[in-house]
Amino acid sequence: MFSYRHAFHAGNHADVLKHTVLIAALQHLIEKDAALTVLDTHAGAGLYRLDGDCARTSGEATHGVARLFAPAVPALAPALQSYVELVRAFNHPGDTPRVYPGSPFIVQRLLRAHDRLKLFELHPTDLRSLAGNVAQLEAGRQLAVLHEDGFAGVRKFLPPPARRALVLCDPSYEIKSDYGKVLDFATDALARFATGAYAFWYPIIPRPEAHGLPRRLRTLANQAGRGWLHATLTVKSSRITASADGEIRRPGLPASGMFLINPPFTLKAALQAALPQMVQLLAQDRHAAHTLESSGG
């Protein structure tokens, strides 16, 4: 269960989608004066080196965030522009990014002094990195790092004191049981705090659990009478191919999705402008596409 390391995948196309959605949601939520609590169930290391061994081994950031910093990139939709500006804030001006902020640092950069951020991480190596990276922020009581299972740990903070929360749930799904855990977590969280905003990332891969998860989340939201939004980004085919000499080629992650329950009402319009540009800029073959669905609840 501890084999997954996000350092190999930081800044890939799935991060572009996830963090663009996260930033757009947060920008809306912090417009209200009341305190906001953000809960991150699988925080990772917080910061990643795109010029380090892990990122260079996979090369995924080259086909992800780096493409948005290319010289010929057209004018970006506001949501994508906000994402690029936030990533740029962690790097030298004018450079292709060498440092990539994970969700903990993205959220902390946007929060106000009276907001709170709770970070959950079980992986021992990533936990040490996260604690060390977060210590540099000197955020005090605003931020807490917890060595706990995020699925279980988040529950004790729902509902939060100010009754305003955004929960980001993005396990690796390396274990098939994660799909069921996400659904169980969503069910319990809505029972505890029905008006919270919940954002679930998931990979779109040839596995029944992956295709069933958004359908089951949609059913859950509809039964609870809550609004929802579902966005997906595909950058390439998921087909496994064979070369002329018989070598099997696996495509890597071809697509991912974000499913939100109680999404900010401004998010759909933001993604309607941003998703087509993600397809244009991040496409790796002719199968690149996006979808966007929602219901008002």
Side-chain angles (χ1 to χ4, degrees):
M1 68 177 294
F2 287 143
S3 60
Y4 178 84
R5 301 289 309 287
H6 193 66
F8 288 94
H9 311 289
N12 67 0
H13 61 86
D15 268 0
V16 175
L17 173 65
K18 175 171 61 179
H19 292 147
T20 297
V21 171
L22 178 63
I23 291 166
L26 270 174
Q27 286 176 330
H28 174 84
L29 290 170
I30 61 175
E31 288 180 357
K32 289 188 178 180
D33 292 336
L36 177 71
T37 296
V38 180
L39 303 158
D40 190 339
T41 63
H42 297 76
L47 280 176
Y48 304 94
R49 295 292 311 190
L50 298 183
D51 55 358
D53 291 341
C54 294
R56 286 205 305 265
T57 296
S58 70
E60 291 184 20
T62 304
H63 299 291
V65 64
R67 290 194 180 186
L68 303 185
F69 284 77
V73 169
L76 296 173
L80 265 181
Q81 186 61 39
S82 293
Y83 166 76
V84 167
E85 288 174 358
L86 197 148
V87 174
R88 183 179 286 127
F90 289 85
N91 292 273
H92 295 297
D95 286 355
T96 298
R98 297 182 181 182
V99 174
Y100 189 81
S103 50
F105 275 69
I106 287 174
V107 173
Q108 198 279 333
R109 180 62 64 108
L110 294 174
L111 291 187
R112 305 153 302 178
H114 63 294
D115 297 323
R116 295 292 180 263
L117 174 58
K118 311 292 185 184
L119 305 173
F120 296 83
E121 181 55 50
L122 269 181
H123 194 293
T125 303
D126 281 350
L127 179 71
R128 288 192 296 271
S129 297
L130 177 64
N133 289 330
V134 162
Q136 302 175 41
L137 295 173
E138 298 182 351
R141 294 178 57 191
Q142 181 193 51
L143 192 157
V145 175
L146 300 104
H147 185 201
E148 298 180 34
D149 174 10
F151 287 124
V154 161
R155 294 172 179 176
K156 62 177 174 282
F157 294 104
L158 297 176
R163 304 195 71 82
R164 299 187 68 236
L166 170 64
V167 178
L168 174 63
C169 183
D170 61 337
S172 67
Y173 298 93
E174 200 174 29
I175 309 169
K176 283 185 180 182
S177 60
D178 276 353
Y179 296 93
K181 287 181 179 179
V182 167
L183 191 68
D184 290 343
F185 170 76
T187 302
D188 181 80
L190 281 174
R192 292 171 184 267
F193 185 42
T195 57
Y198 299 94
F200 302 93
W201 176 88
Y202 70 99
I204 300 176
I205 55 178
R207 176 179 282 182
E209 296 88 350
H211 291 278
L213 180 61
R215 291 196 298 269
R216 297 173 76 182
L217 287 171
R218 182 173 61 228
T219 298
L220 176 63
N222 288 337
Q223 290 175 342
R226 313 311 304 180
W228 56 267
L229 181 146
H230 182 209
T232 70
L233 173 66
T234 300
V235 299
K236 59 184 175 181
S237 170
S238 62
R239 292 183 59 189
I240 298 174
T241 59
S243 63
D245 59 3
E247 181 183 357
I248 299 298
R249 295 175 178 170
R250 298 184 182 276
L253 181 65
S256 66
M258 287 290 285
F259 193 100
L260 289 91
I261 299 176
N262 296 325
F265 75 90
T266 53
L267 186 57
K268 184 176 182 179
L271 293 180
Q272 283 174 328
L275 281 168
Q277 281 198 318
M278 290 188 203
V279 173
Q280 175 190 356
L281 295 169
L282 303 179
Q284 297 183 34
D285 66 24
R286 62 184 178 84
H287 297 279
H290 77 275
T291 66
L292 182 62
E293 304 172 285
S294 67
S295 174

